[in-house]
Amino acid sequence: MKISVNSPSKAIDLTLTLSCGQVFRWVQYGGSWFGTLGKTLVKIRQRKGYLDVQSSHPILRSTISNYLRLDDDLESIISELSEDTVFSQVAYEVRGLRILRQDPWECLISYICSRNSRISMIRRVLNNICQRFGEKVTLGEYTNYTFPRPEEIVEAKLSELIGCGLRYGRVQAEEIKNAAELVQKGALDFNVLKRMSYPEAKTKLISLCRGVGSKVADCILLFSLEKIEAFPIDVWVARAMATLYHKYLDKRLVKRILSNPHLSNADYERLSRFARDHFGRYAGYAQEYLYHWIRTKNVECDA
DNA sequence: CCCCAGGCACATT
DNA sequence: AATGTGCATGGG
């Protein structure tokens, strides 16, 4: 299947989008990207002006374009954000990065696992979870595993989850099982969250799911629940803000960030409110661009 | 040995 | 409301 991405509104850098750290399980192999969407193993290769898609099972064109958020007019989003001249410089250096529309369940578990960890390790933990609890899928010579459903995690033994290499062992294993139970019981309904306003959905997520605080909630809301105004702030984004936007921020706040980028709740709130005021409805896009910019600026991405 | 990574929950003040 | 502390993996 070919999906045209030939117009500026549909611009995409597939490699950048899949490897920038918003999603953890895509693998590049032989010039193509492999990942699972539901039970289907998908292979995507970017060609001139289009994406070439193959899959282990029949898949709709709309499933792919929906996942890649090709419905977002990237050109107009970036031009709206670029009224800020600082951002326009960042956007000049980072082109074709799109927010994905991930599966909320997988996104929830992924970001529970992400806390105070690093991308290479998050990837390993999630792959271990999929290998133990997911299903094997193959496409040609390539093999991958699906992300387990909540029912499969509800049945999982704590010790097996801990064995997947979680950063905070038992604590996170319990958080993951707790989340699975909430979803299975229907107490956590992602479609309801999608219909809520950003602040309501955030409050709901944090109060319901152990292991989900401000940062993790913002990631889930941005990457899987249609809240493009969400602005997750990790140590990197905090640094980017302190570097690029210090003139808008309290001097002591900037100093606190630069000396210790782990934010207190109060500072998280301050920065996050500034970001949504400053960037507006597409703050989440601004966040991803800043995140990628600061990481490639200072350090070689830990791939 | 040190430091740090897409932080959170809970206690203390 | 603000700050401090435990958590407890793995790589540089």
Side-chain angles (χ1 to χ4, degrees):
Chain A
M1 177 181 10
K2 290 184 182 179
I3 297 178
S4 171
V5 290
N6 209 14
S7 69
S9 67
K10 294 197 181 301
I12 182 170
D13 181 327
L14 186 70
T15 293
L16 179 55
T17 298
L18 296 178
S19 66
C20 70
Q22 61 180 316
V23 69
F24 303 101
R25 293 204 318 116
W26 285 86
V27 176
Q28 195 170 28
Y29 179 73
S32 295
W33 283 94
F34 291 81
T36 57
L37 298 181
K39 301 287 183 201
T40 305
L41 178 53
V42 178
K43 172 185 180 183
I44 312 180
R45 188 181 187 109
Q46 182 152 26
R47 303 283 192 180
K48 188 148 184 67
Y50 68 94
L51 302 173
D52 187 8
V53 180
Q54 294 176 40
S55 54
S56 62
H57 307 284
I59 193 165
L60 293 173
R61 173 184 306 272
S62 61
T63 304
I64 304 292
S65 56
N66 192 55
Y67 180 75
L68 298 174
R69 289 192 79 98
L70 294 179
D71 48 312
D72 279 344
D73 181 340
L74 192 62
E75 186 184 35
S76 74
I77 289 172
I78 297 306
S79 96
E80 185 171 320
L81 289 170
S82 293
E83 287 170 23
D84 167 6
T85 56
V86 176
F87 181 83
S88 75
Q89 188 57 41
V90 171
Y92 178 75
E93 296 178 34
V94 184
R95 287 188 295 267
L97 174 55
R98 279 179 181 275
I99 304 284
L100 295 169
R101 186 179 277 115
Q102 299 183 42
D103 171 59
W105 156 246
E106 177 169 349
C107 193
L108 168 64
I109 300 305
S110 300
Y111 279 94
I112 285 178
C113 295
S114 77
R115 100 162 165 263
N116 205 18
S117 188
R118 64 181 76 194
I119 290 176
S120 55
M121 193 172 158
I122 301 164
R123 258 210 288 272
R124 194 173 55 234
V125 171
L126 292 174
N127 283 327
N128 286 340
I129 289 176
C130 291
Q131 214 168 106
R132 292 203 198 193
F133 304 107
E135 288 172 24
K136 196 172 186 173
V137 218
T138 61
L139 177 57
E141 58 181 285
Y142 190 83
T143 295
N144 206 333
Y145 292 84
T146 62
F147 198 84
R149 294 281 76 213
E151 306 80 61
E152 294 159 317
I153 296 300
V154 168
E155 298 298 323
K157 282 192 210 149
L158 273 184
S159 59
E160 268 193 289
L161 280 169
I162 296 168
C164 292
L166 293 162
R167 170 74 175 82
Y168 295 109
R170 172 171 300 270
V171 176
Q172 279 175 321
E174 282 169 351
E175 290 165 0
I176 290 169
K177 289 204 65 157
N178 172 250
E181 285 161 12
L182 289 171
V183 173
Q184 191 186 42
K185 284 188 307 195
L188 179 58
D189 184 332
F190 296 118
N191 289 320
V192 172
L193 290 176
K194 280 183 193 170
R195 278 183 245 116
M196 288 178 166
S197 69
Y198 162 70
E200 286 174 331
K202 182 167 178 177
T203 305
K204 184 77 178 168
L205 262 181
I206 291 176
S207 61
L208 212 49
C209 302
R210 289 151 58 83
V212 177
S214 263
K215 155 67 172 60
V216 168
D218 278 331
C219 287
I220 299 163
L221 291 163
L222 173 60
F223 298 136
S224 72
L225 293 172
E226 305 297 317
K227 305 298 183 255
I228 301 301
E229 70 269 46
F231 191 89
I233 306 167
D234 69 326
V235 294
W236 295 96
V237 173
R239 268 183 215 130
M241 302 286 283
T243 308
L244 296 175
Y245 294 97
H246 56 88
K247 65 178 173 186
Y248 299 98
L249 303 170
D250 182 86
K251 278 203 181 88
R252 286 162 301 179
L253 172 58
V254 172
K255 192 173 271 183
R256 283 199 297 278
I257 293 170
L258 295 178
S259 64
N260 174 14
H262 283 102
L263 301 175
S264 66
N265 274 335
D267 283 347
Y268 190 100
E269 261 318 299
R270 278 192 263 274
L271 269 184
S272 131
R273 213 171 313 120
F274 164 75
R276 284 195 307 284
D277 287 348
H278 187 77
F279 296 116
R281 57 180 170 162
Y282 298 127
Y285 264 95
Q287 186 276 355
E288 266 319 90
Y289 277 65
L290 291 175
Y291 177 73
H292 185 261
W293 179 84
I294 191 81
R295 282 173 61 92
T296 51
K297 211 73 190 168
N298 293 8
V299 186
E300 61 288 358
C301 264
D302 63 337

